[in-house]
Amino acid sequence: MNQVKRQLNEHVPFDEKAKKLRNLTFHKNDIEVTCIEHLSNEIFYEIFDYLDGCDIFDIFSKLNIRFKRLILYSSLPIKIYRSISSNQITEYHYQKFIIPHRHRIISFHIHDESYMSSSFSLHMIDASFNRLESLVLYRIQYNILILFLPDLSTLPRRFSLKIDLYDGLRNFSELYGLIFRLPLLKYNKISAFRIFSPILQPYITDEYSPIEHLVIDHECVIHELVTILSCTPRLSHLTCKCLNSNSSIKREIPRNISNLRYLSINVCYLQFDEFETFIKKSFPHIRVLRFASHWDSSYLDANRWEQLILKHIPYLRILNFKYNEGIYNQLTLNPYHLNLNRFLSPVWIQRRWFLELKICINTFLPATITYSIQPLKKQWYEWHNEANSNEIIIYPTLTEQKCINTSFSQLHLTLEGPQSVEYYRSVQEYICSIATLVQFTSLHIDLCYFSISILLQLLNILPNLDSLTITSGLPEKTKILSKEQINMFRSVSSHNKITKVNLEQITELDQIHILMDLCFHMCDLQVKCRNIFDGKWLVRYVLNKRNTNFIPYLCSICLWISEANNEMMNNLQIIIDTEKLIDNYTIKRICDKIYLRWNEHL
């Protein structure tokens, strides 16, 4: 039997795997197959790729001679994955399947050693597993792991190792020293809670590790990370869950780690001075930087960021940075707040990085503000330019920069959380102060918590908005407005510049009507619909309003329907043509969205 080449694809998302299986067409001699036994071996190889090896052995090996040969006498790669919900790997599995076929195992996931057969020992994993490419150890005890790790040095292939420690990381130097001595390890992830020793020893090993991708899924101190970097010259991708400072222990920061291209720190507790020095000395060739920080407002100093980027990390293409700040009774603006507009300078515009402020009003103090810098993504209303709305716009080359319109800018504001008059007043004062310094172009608001009056107030103090996203339906009492609210409504409607409206939860036509009245200059409308029936009445209603000049500038509608398909799109097209709602239009489906666009001037 021909050897079937397989790639280890444990990281492929389940949805992609499912789509791949659904797209398989079963034919034999150009006749559609109706019996499972008529399927080719290649089809079963695809199916087996998604199943646990022990399950395949239990289910298929005793069906008939064909399957017995396929399972036991082929070179079919085997993946062993037994979770708590699976049956236990028994003595029978080891003796009849795993041990005789260990040379075919490419992936071995061990959930809990106490869950394995009493005859199995981790020390059985040795050079005889000559195709092993992935080993995952869940809920393993520290002492058992330390005794087992040296055995992995005999594995003949480059492999990945994931470890989840059940009883915590007791000795950082001991564990990482053993891991870094594995000669063919290319990927490593360690998940654990920390047990810090009274005396921290930064020394790990004098040897260099071949690891290229490292995930530190536990708390780490800066001098420990520095030690890791000094031992991993081939490292290109580094993720750290939590990075702390330790001023009592100093270690020389390694210089020019030339292979590192990706750095992600989920929570960074370093002061900006320390972080800046770390980045300057170690990562001159970094391409992607993602991290979140707290407490030190120096992280909001756009001028320092510009100098850091231009002089020390000029190859940076993607920056994803978040800084969280609390608002108690009143937020005091410091010089960094007053200079937020520096994040709209050409350095940021040319790289297509935009600033977003997210304000969350909590039930109890403090309210929180998250400042984030991130790459600009294609928006839903740009579908006619690019099919993939999630594509990140990568920072262009120096030549391409010269062609970029430097007037481009994006500043987003998101407001969410349970309404509280006291807290909102403080937040409103903050927004008013910031709005005098920078021009917000996009507002996201959850009207489940905020009234129409607050929405009108925000639109009034943010006159440069171009985009409005409402993440829940309008409150019932919106239908009844006071005289004062009506006057403000008319004023906001006549003066706002909003051209793009995104409604993520609309259940009544009255709500659509109010927002169309409020946003007279609307050009693009997206609505999340519960089903195609909502989409049909929405298209009829909106297009009829447009044809009566109620919303004369509207030129596109996007229906966001979770089960959208081509049949739904065709039905909409029939309705539009039969009822002659518009002419000269285009209609297109991309995933779960149906886009309808027509000429602006007919």
Side-chain angles (χ1 to χ4, degrees), residues 20 214 229 314 343 387 411 422 431 457 466 529 533 569 586:
K20 187 175 180 181
L214 179 63
L229 293 173
F343 284 107
L411 184 56
E422 251 181 63
I431 294 174
Q457 292 172 24
D466 178 62
C529 304
F533 301 106
M569 183 182 68
T586 59

Side-chain angles (χ1 to χ4, degrees), residues 232-359:
T232 53
R234 297 184 186 178
L235 193 65
S236 63
H237 193 294
L238 174 62
T239 299
C240 182
K241 179 179 180 180
C242 178
L243 182 61
N244 274 312
S245 178
N246 190 330
S247 58
S248 63
I249 299 179
K250 298 294 183 180
R251 183 178 174 89
E252 181 65 25
I253 296 176
R255 293 182 176 273
N256 197 357
I257 303 173
S258 58
N259 288 320
L260 195 76
R261 298 294 186 268
Y262 179 101
L263 175 62
S264 176
I265 305 173
N266 292 354
V267 182
C268 178
Y269 289 105
L270 303 184
Q271 295 292 314
F272 188 44
D273 289 342
E274 192 173 10
F275 177 83
E276 186 180 36
T277 302
F278 184 50
I279 295 295
K280 281 181 180 179
K281 290 187 176 182
S282 300
F283 310 118
H285 298 95
I286 194 168
R287 302 293 197 273
V288 180
L289 176 60
R290 306 180 190 273
F291 75 103
S293 188
H294 310 266
W295 317 123
D296 185 5
S297 60
S298 299
Y299 278 102
L300 300 179
D301 189 339
N303 292 324
R304 284 180 66 178
W305 272 108
E306 289 184 15
Q307 294 302 310
L308 176 62
I309 292 166
L310 294 175
K311 293 183 178 180
H312 301 283
I313 46 175
Y315 301 103
L316 190 66
R317 297 293 181 265
I318 296 176
L319 174 63
N320 197 318
F321 155 62
K322 292 183 179 180
Y323 174 78
N324 296 312
E325 185 171 47
I327 304 178
Y328 291 86
N329 295 323
Q330 186 175 3
L331 177 69
T332 302
L333 297 181
N334 62 37
Y336 306 128
H337 295 109
L338 301 178
N339 289 306
L340 283 176
N341 61 336
R342 287 296 303 167
F343 284 107
L344 302 178
S345 71
V347 170
W348 308 93
I349 293 171
Q350 290 169 357
R351 289 159 175 78
R352 306 278 180 143
W353 298 337
F354 74 93
L355 173 65
E356 178 179 11
L357 273 67
K358 182 176 181 179
I359 301 176

Side-chain angles (χ1 to χ4, degrees), residues 10-11 15 53 109 125 166 172 244 264 282 380 410 444 450 491-492 510 522 528 540:
E10 64 181 43
H11 300 299
D15 289 345
H109 291 210
I125 301 177
Y166 175 72
F172 176 91
N244 274 312
S264 176
S282 300
W380 58 269
Q410 291 285 333
H444 294 228
F450 299 99
S491 174
V492 170
D510 289 344
M522 182 195 310
K528 187 171 184 179
R540 281 195 182 100

Side-chain angles (χ1 to χ4, degrees), residues 384-601:
H384 53 286
N385 293 327
E386 184 65 51
N388 186 0
S389 61
N390 289 322
E391 179 185 356
I392 294 176
I393 304 175
I394 303 299
Y395 164 52
T397 64
L398 293 175
T399 302
E400 294 170 333
Q401 286 181 30
K402 297 178 181 179
C403 303
I404 292 177
N405 180 3
T406 56
S407 65
F408 166 89
S409 64
Q410 291 285 333
L411 184 56
H412 295 186
L413 173 64
T414 300
L415 193 60
E416 62 182 25
Q419 182 181 358
S420 165
V421 176
E422 251 181 63
Y423 299 169
Y424 174 71
R425 283 176 184 168
S426 175
V427 170
Q428 186 182 31
E429 291 176 4
Y430 168 75
I431 294 174
C432 289
S433 301
I434 294 296
T436 62
L437 305 172
V438 295
Q439 296 181 354
F440 289 97
T441 59
S442 175
L443 172 65
H444 294 228
I445 185 169
D446 187 347
L447 289 183
C448 176
Y449 299 114
F450 299 99
S451 66
I452 188 67
S453 295
I454 290 179
L455 175 61
L456 294 175
Q457 292 172 24
L458 288 170
L459 297 185
N460 192 45
I461 62 178
L462 302 172
N464 296 291
L465 289 179
D466 178 62
S467 174
L468 173 64
T469 294
I470 297 177
T471 58
S472 66
L474 298 172
E476 274 296 315
K477 58 184 179 181
T478 300
K479 300 175 183 178
I480 304 175
L481 300 178
S482 66
K483 184 177 180 180
E484 182 180 353
Q485 289 174 330
I486 291 173
N487 291 334
M488 180 179 285
F489 189 99
R490 289 172 178 170
S491 174
V492 170
S493 176
S494 60
H495 291 97
N496 79 76
K497 303 174 184 178
I498 296 171
T499 63
K500 304 165 185 67
V501 178
N502 177 20
L503 311 176
E504 295 189 357
Q505 184 180 334
I506 294 294
T507 57
E508 297 182 13
L509 287 175
D510 289 344
Q511 298 175 345
I512 295 284
H513 182 89
I514 289 171
L515 289 167
M516 288 192 301
D517 196 9
L518 182 63
C519 304
F520 177 77
H521 297 92
M522 182 195 310
C523 296
D524 302 283
L525 172 65
Q526 174 172 268
V527 181
K528 187 171 184 179
C529 304
R530 293 170 297 183
N531 49 53
I532 186 58
F533 301 106
D534 284 357
K536 289 178 180 178
W537 63 251
L538 176 69
V539 168
R540 281 195 182 100
Y541 182 78
V542 172
L543 291 181
N544 281 325
K545 287 294 183 182
R546 177 204 172 264
N547 293 336
T548 58
N549 284 328
F550 189 80
I551 39 174
Y553 301 102
L554 187 69
C555 59
S556 77
I557 301 174
C558 172
L559 301 180
W560 184 1
I561 307 173
S562 60
E563 298 180 356
N565 54 44
N566 288 337
E567 183 180 358
M568 293 181 184
M569 183 182 68
N570 294 335
N571 288 337
L572 280 175
Q573 191 169 4
I574 292 171
I575 291 173
I576 294 170
D577 293 341
T578 303
E579 301 180 16
K580 299 180 179 179
L581 296 175
I582 48 172
D583 298 318
N584 302 321
Y585 69 91
T586 59
I587 189 167
K588 183 177 183 179
R589 182 180 72 87
I590 301 175
C591 298
D592 56 355
K593 294 182 179 180
I594 298 175
Y595 297 90
L596 178 64
R597 188 173 184 83
W598 57 92
N599 293 337
E600 294 185 49
H601 305 289

Side-chain angles (χ1 to χ4, degrees), residues 113 122 139-149 163-179 190 192-195 197:
E113 193 183 30
L122 287 174
R139 294 174 59 82
I140 187 170
Q141 296 181 29
Y142 181 85
N143 290 335
I144 293 175
L145 175 66
I146 294 302
L147 294 174
F148 165 64
L149 281 174
I163 299 169
D164 176 67
L165 282 167
Y166 175 72
D167 51 352
L169 201 171
R170 300 181 184 178
N171 189 315
F172 176 91
S173 298
E174 179 183 36
L175 177 59
Y176 278 92
L178 290 172
I179 288 174
I190 299 180
F193 63 88
R194 288 299 302 269
I195 301 175
S197 349

